[in-house]
Amino acid sequence: MTRSQGEAAETVEPLTHETAAQTLKQVCQRTGLDSTGAELVRIGENAVFRLREPVIVRIARTSRYADAAAKEVRVARWLESAGYPATRALDVEQPIVVDGRVATVWESVSEHEEYGDIGQVATLIRDLHRLDPPETLELPELDPFVRADTRLAKVRGVSDDDLAFLHEGLADARRKWNELEFVLPRGPVHGDASIGNVIRASDGHAVLIDLDGFATGPREWDLIQTAMYYDRFGWHTREEYETFVGIYGYDLLEWPGYHDLAAIREVLMTIWLSQKAGDDARSAAEVHNRVDDMRTGASRRDWAPY
């Protein structure tokens, strides 16, 4: 990333529907696409738009994500060459940096966002973990905490007590991570593998999306969310989880490090959500609820998915 991109990232406005739509227009002008009638699918780590033509545009919060976006495109090219069912990057020069943000453009696999089933999730993760990336890809080492400090530094709409708890929780998560003894072979990981990043295409087959977290690391990281969604949150049924384990071939709940890894993921999920608290009262309330549950050891069954 250039110095000018870094300076722009310091002054860029918060990522909202309105600011993202302004960036979208410029991205489309540069790539020959049409932003008229674009649909905002969601705002999370990125603002995701679906155009009237079969194209998805992802806009990151600042240009500081440029390196990750470039890696995401390289990963997509590799997976396409390997015949792996993942989102395909359009054949244009990208990523695109405008307005102090970075954007990427992708083929849309369906007119409506429909998640795959748990069997498709398990199959995609299993098959991904069997792939050997080319030496030229140079995947980074997995760092679960890569943006956590930056997010906490910019949090708005969270009480001082809750923010202090998140800082303490992050420090404890780092300690736990360094003490974990992983047992599965290391290799390429998606970094945010769950049913929320598996989309069913119009013809029924499933594809893996959101490739910006790709790294090399312990495969347990790609299994933890599905295990937590069943065991802690109740978002998957027992039958669904058993299907996942049967297809993937390993039950993370049997691993001694499961509870510590789940605790790490809970803290990071909540820190990620906290960046939306200043602009969304529902997200702010959810952050407080999660912090209260983690502080008191209460059930997580009332956590809302985001």
Side-chain angles (χ1 to χ4, degrees):
M1 184 176 67
T2 67
R3 182 171 180 269
S4 61
Q5 289 173 3
E7 291 171 348
E10 293 293 340
T11 59
V12 68
E13 295 181 76
L15 186 65
T16 65
H17 188 174
E18 292 74 21
T19 59
Q22 293 171 7
T23 302
L24 175 67
K25 290 181 180 179
Q26 296 189 57
V27 170
C28 288
Q29 288 171 359
R30 289 199 183 187
T31 54
L33 298 168
D34 184 3
S35 64
T36 305
E39 172 196 358
L40 178 65
V41 178
R42 63 180 179 274
I43 293 184
E45 198 61 42
N46 300 271
V48 180
F49 288 91
R50 178 181 289 108
L51 306 187
R52 291 194 299 186
E53 54 194 306
V55 172
I56 295 291
V57 180
R58 288 162 51 85
I59 300 170
R61 291 178 177 272
T62 76
S63 59
R64 291 190 180 280
Y65 291 73
D67 290 343
K71 178 196 67 178
E72 183 178 16
V73 172
R74 292 194 301 271
V75 167
R77 307 288 192 217
W78 161 52
L79 295 177
E80 182 174 10
S81 70
Y84 180 88
T87 183
R88 306 300 191 211
L90 287 192
D91 188 18
V92 298
E93 186 175 346
Q94 53 176 319
I96 304 132
V97 178
V98 292
D99 266 356
R101 306 191 198 278
V102 60
T104 50
V105 289
W106 306 84
E107 296 179 11
S108 177
V109 299
S110 177
E111 293 182 0
H112 306 285
E113 191 168 73
E114 178 185 354
Y115 298 130
D117 61 43
I118 198 67
Q120 292 173 318
V121 175
T123 299
L124 284 177
I125 297 176
R126 180 200 64 195
D127 292 351
L128 172 66
H129 289 178
R130 291 175 175 175
L131 291 178
D132 292 319
E135 294 181 2
T136 55
L137 186 58
E138 297 181 358
L139 290 174
E141 180 69 20
L142 175 67
D143 179 4
F145 312 103
V146 64
R147 298 186 183 116
D149 292 298
T150 301
R151 288 169 180 153
L152 283 180
K154 297 180 179 180
V155 164
R156 297 177 295 114
V158 174
S159 72
D160 290 344
D161 286 347
D162 287 353
L163 187 58
F165 180 87
L166 290 175
H167 277 286
E168 293 168 3
L170 179 58
D172 188 55
R174 284 192 165 106
R175 178 187 60 77
K176 285 185 170 76
W177 177 260
N178 290 330
E179 295 174 352
L180 283 170
E181 296 182 4
F182 298 104
V183 296
L184 295 178
R186 290 171 48 83
V189 293
H190 177 270
D192 192 20
S194 72
I195 198 166
N197 280 327
V198 173
I199 299 298
R200 197 191 309 272
S202 300
D203 63 2
H205 84 278
V207 300
L208 189 67
I209 65 170
D210 290 6
L211 311 179
D212 52 318
F214 252 79
T216 296
R219 264 53 184 271
E220 287 87 346
W221 188 246
D222 273 355
L223 306 182
I224 187 61
Q225 290 187 84
T226 300
M228 293 170 63
Y229 289 2
Y230 159 63
D231 177 59
R232 294 197 171 203
F233 306 151
W235 298 347
H236 291 315
T237 65
R238 174 182 291 276
E239 181 180 6
E240 287 174 327
Y241 185 67
E242 289 175 349
T243 296
F244 180 89
V245 170
I247 293 173
Y248 185 85
Y250 182 75
D251 185 354
L252 193 68
L253 297 180
E254 299 297 323
W255 174 52
Y258 162 69
H259 292 289
D260 280 345
L261 191 60
I264 292 168
R265 191 75 206 198
E266 284 184 349
V267 169
L268 292 175
M269 289 169 64
T270 305
I271 290 173
W272 173 85
L273 183 60
S274 70
Q275 67 189 334
K276 301 176 67 173
D279 301 306
D280 179 21
R282 178 171 170 263
S283 296
E286 177 67 17
V287 168
H288 176 71
N289 176 64
R290 292 185 181 188
V291 168
D292 193 53
D293 287 346
M294 288 188 287
R295 181 185 285 121
T296 62
S299 169
R300 276 61 160 165
R301 293 288 168 137
D302 64 343
W303 285 28
Y306 274 80

